[in-house]
């Protein structure tokens, strides 16, 4: 179940620099309907694909794409996506830090960023044009569609593990355009989950 943190977790420096009306007390949304409604204001679609298909953790990408074939086809029809693949990242993935560095700076794409999480977790930060930054912690079963042009950045969680289906309108269009705003430096890449909520 995805979790939204409105205001995100600012770094010390980011807290001092709060230029975009960021609040001191972050508001955390955990209810599915609240999460979907909040994200919907920014054109971001959030769904749960349940029940998730039973796919072995070590299943090859083709098996995952086949298991989720019906859902993928429906999404393709809705969003004009033409291809799907599976990204598989583990702590021992070669050049992981270099790979992650490409996406942990504020950027946007010429096409939607569509991810269905099979395993692991990840953290999107979204920087709306006219509102404070918020973060979305996604985990297995979460489908997220971030519309083209949305300013965002992405980090893994502490376990540095994610396996996700990606859909593309045009593979060549999916390159990051960096804003170089530096806004990302004001936020900690902290994933939120049940433990955080329980601590209040
Ligand atoms: Fe991105």
């Amino acid at each position: 179940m995805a979790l939204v943190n409105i205001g995100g977790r600012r770094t010390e420096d980011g807290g001092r620099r709060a230029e975009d009306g960021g609040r001191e007390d972050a508001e955390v949304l955990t209810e599915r309907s609240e999460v979907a409604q909040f994200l919907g204001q920014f054109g971001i679609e959030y769904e749960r694909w349940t029940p998730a298909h039973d796919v072995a953790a070590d299943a090859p990408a083709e098996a995952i794409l086949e298991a989720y074939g019906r859902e993928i086809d429906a999404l393709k029809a809705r969003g004009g996506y033409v291809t799907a693949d599976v990204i598989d990242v583990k702590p021992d993935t070669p050049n992981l830090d270099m790979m992650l560095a490409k996406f942990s700076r504020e950027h946007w794409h010429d096409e939607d960023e569509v991810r269905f999480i099979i395993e692991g977790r990840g953290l999107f930060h979204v920087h709306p044009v006219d509102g404070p930054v918020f973060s979305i912690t996604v985990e297995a079963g979460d489908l997220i569609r971030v519309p083209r042009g949305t300013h965002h950045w992405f980090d893994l969680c502490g376990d540095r593990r994610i396996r996700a289906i990606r859909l593309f309108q045009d593979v060549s269009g999916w390159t990051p355009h960096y804003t170089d705003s530096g806004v990302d430096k004001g936020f900690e890449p902290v994933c939120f989950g049940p433990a955080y909520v329980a601590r209040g």
Side-chain angles (χ1 to χ4, degrees):
M1 200 35 227
L3 193 148
V4 168
N5 186 298
I6 306 167
R9 169 81 66 88
R10 289 181 178 277
T11 58
E12 247 179 60
D13 185 39
R16 280 199 299 274
R17 287 190 313 179
E19 300 147 350
D20 59 0
R23 49 185 93 183
E24 295 254 318
D25 301 314
E27 186 183 346
V28 178
L29 306 179
T30 56
E31 290 297 322
R32 179 176 169 168
S33 57
E34 280 183 336
V35 167
Q37 194 183 12
F38 176 81
L39 296 178
Q41 301 171 72
F42 306 98
I44 300 172
E45 273 190 45
Y46 170 70
E47 287 176 16
R48 291 281 299 170
W49 281 0
T50 48
H53 295 291
D54 204 8
V55 183
D58 58 352
E62 304 76 55
I64 291 178
L65 294 174
E66 197 182 319
Y68 286 93
R70 208 148 38 102
E71 288 89 343
I72 290 170
D73 286 346
L75 261 187
K76 280 181 177 172
R78 253 167 61 198
Y81 310 110
V82 292
T83 59
D85 73 2
V86 176
I87 181 159
D88 192 351
V89 168
K90 303 177 182 130
D92 61 356
T93 296
N95 302 317
L96 180 56
D97 287 327
M98 214 189 301
M99 185 196 294
L100 294 173
K102 276 177 74 176
F103 302 111
S104 61
R105 288 160 51 205
E106 188 179 60
H107 65 272
W108 53 277
H109 306 278
D110 290 320
E111 65 168 294
D112 301 347
E113 184 155 329
V114 188
R115 299 289 180 271
F116 174 69
I117 316 303
I118 303 283
E119 197 189 334
R121 296 200 298 154
L123 180 72
F124 286 93
H125 276 89
V126 174
H127 185 190
V129 179
D130 53 359
V133 169
F134 57 90
S135 72
I136 314 160
T137 305
V138 291
E139 62 179 27
D142 290 332
L143 169 77
I144 189 162
R145 286 214 291 171
V146 180
R148 68 183 70 190
T150 305
H151 291 189
H152 67 280
W153 63 95
F154 178 82
D155 294 281
L156 288 180
C157 298
D159 55 2
R160 290 160 75 84
R161 171 76 176 125
I162 200 162
R163 195 164 204 209
I165 296 172
R166 309 187 292 185
L167 284 102
F168 301 97
Q169 281 143 335
D170 173 359
V171 179
S172 64
W174 201 76
T175 45
H177 301 291
Y178 298 106
T179 65
D180 292 325
S181 68
V183 168
D184 44 278
K185 292 185 183 63
F187 294 87
E188 302 266 16
V190 178
C191 292
F192 294 87
Y196 171 83
V197 175
R199 279 202 305 274

